[in-house]
Amino acid sequence: MACHFDEYDKRDFALAQARELGLASRSCAAVGDSRSDLPLFASVGLSVAFNASARAREEATVTVDDDDLRGVLPVLSRLVTATR
């Protein structure tokens, strides 16, 4: 493990990356599955609970249950369409 990220480090890292790219946080999406994703979910425009815990499902914009992570792609395309 290169470094340990807690739930706030995840959020802070993602938001810093967005700033570097000149993106508003509302134009970003996050995909996660547990409690440690909740601060990030609250900070982005679209949050996807993927095969997630009950709490993550409650906090996410949308929930996806699938055997393949590519199952989130149709949901993520909504964000791309909304920001055009």
Side-chain angles (χ1 to χ4, degrees), residues 5-12 35-40:
F5 269 55
D6 69 16
E7 61 269 30
Y8 298 102
D9 294 326
K10 282 183 176 184
R11 178 201 61 200
D12 296 347
R35 172 200 60 79
S36 67
D37 297 303
L38 300 184
L40 181 54

Side-chain angles (χ1 to χ4, degrees), residues 42-80:
S43 300
V44 296
L46 176 67
S47 53
V48 183
F50 181 72
N51 296 336
S53 68
R55 182 71 193 279
R57 291 169 184 272
E58 290 171 12
E59 299 296 325
T61 308
V62 66
T63 297
V64 174
D65 291 305
D66 202 312
D67 292 332
D68 189 327
L69 184 57
R70 291 175 289 188
V72 303
L73 292 176
V75 174
L76 294 176
S77 70
R78 293 183 205 167
L79 184 63
V80 174

Side-chain angles (χ1 to χ4, degrees), residues 1-6 9 13:
M1 178 184 301
C3 69
H4 172 76
F5 269 55
D6 69 16
D9 294 326
F13 177 81

Side-chain angles (χ1 to χ4, degrees), residues 41 60 82:
F41 279 7

